[in-house]
Amino acid sequence: MENDWEFFVDAKQVTISSLILANYQKLGLTEEELVLFLQIDSQLQAGKNIPDIEKISQAMGKASTDIYSLMHKLVEKKVLAINTVSDENGRETNQYSFKGLYQKLVALKRQEEMTTSQATLSVSRAEIYKSIEVEFGRALTPMELQTIDMWFSQDHYQPELVKLALREAVLNQVYNLRYIDRILISWEKQNIKTAADAQKLLVKQREVKAAKWSKTTSQSKVKDKPEIPVYKWSNRTEGEH
């Protein structure tokens, strides 16, 4: 049993990204092409610059001509590149590279992230329309719908920023889009582009208002105190007690 275990331990391991296994179909690879990639890549990882086609043929149970045909398909799909390079002695040899496969994988993940981001943005916009109607207590007019759409399509305001501006309008009990628009324009002039930046500004403004109110209140309390007459004890007459 120990010898059997050593057999597996001594066998060379192949490293492959789980992203390739999870997305090979999205990358346009068939199962046979994936297996061929694994066969070639395993030999490249083992230090063989030129894969042993006969060995791959035996492992996959296919004729060499079929292996070459599959390799040609990988090249056509820009997954595999076979470049001719010269060594230090000027001898030309083929160099195999799967750089194109990894570039396709990166492009795929970026596209998926962009699609997810656009879907999230679309949902957020829908939430903005609904939130405004709920706060206004009525359905939006066609003109108002157009105004909100312009916030996103022309002004490129983030939905989170519009939502924060709506909250400020509600806190001030002003229920119209012109007021929200003025808030957004004011933030834009101050180079406020995200809800986080706007929140910081609002906190700072509230701190300033609170400080002014505290100062005004203190001064008011001082003014409201009754005046206390001041007597000079030295000026009291002998008859006063």
Side-chain angles (χ1 to χ4, degrees), residues 39-41 43-44 48-56 68 71 94 96:
Q39 290 289 337
I40 296 175
D41 195 49
Q43 293 192 24
L44 294 177
K48 293 183 178 180
N49 295 328
I50 301 177
D52 188 335
I53 301 301
E54 288 299 325
K55 187 176 180 179
I56 294 175
Y68 282 114
M71 288 177 60
N94 290 331
Y96 291 70

Side-chain angles (χ1 to χ4, degrees), residues 67-120:
I67 300 300
Y68 282 114
S69 178
L70 285 173
M71 288 177 60
H72 181 66
K73 289 181 179 179
L74 292 180
V75 172
E76 284 184 335
K77 293 180 179 180
K78 296 183 179 180
V79 169
L80 171 65
I82 305 175
N83 303 313
T84 301
V85 296
S86 300
D87 60 17
E88 56 185 10
N89 297 319
R91 290 177 299 185
E92 292 186 346
T93 182
N94 290 331
Q95 186 180 66
Y96 291 70
S97 172
F98 286 105
K99 183 178 179 180
L101 173 63
Y102 295 104
Q103 289 176 335
K104 283 178 173 289
L105 186 60
V106 170
L108 174 65
K109 300 310 294 181
R110 286 179 178 173
Q111 182 61 40
E112 289 180 347
E113 290 174 358
M114 185 179 297
T115 301
T116 301
S117 177
Q118 290 175 345
T120 302

Side-chain angles (χ1 to χ4, degrees), residues 161-224:
L161 192 66
V162 176
K163 190 172 184 179
L164 189 58
L166 170 63
R167 190 187 73 177
E168 287 302 300
V170 172
L171 289 174
N172 288 284
Q173 297 183 341
V174 182
Y175 302 95
N176 64 67
L177 295 189
R178 283 179 297 177
Y179 186 80
I180 298 175
D181 192 54
R182 286 200 296 270
I183 293 175
L184 292 170
I185 292 175
S186 174
W187 287 346
E188 186 177 6
K189 289 180 179 179
Q190 298 176 75
N191 201 32
I192 302 296
K193 298 184 181 298
T194 66
D197 291 339
Q199 187 63 51
K200 291 178 183 178
L201 177 65
L202 291 172
V203 170
K204 186 176 181 180
Q205 289 176 342
R206 290 191 178 102
E207 288 176 349
V208 173
K209 287 182 180 179
K212 289 182 179 179
W213 182 85
S214 178
K215 183 178 180 180
T216 302
T217 304
S218 298
Q219 292 175 346
S220 177
K221 287 182 179 179
V222 171
K223 291 180 180 180
D224 292 342

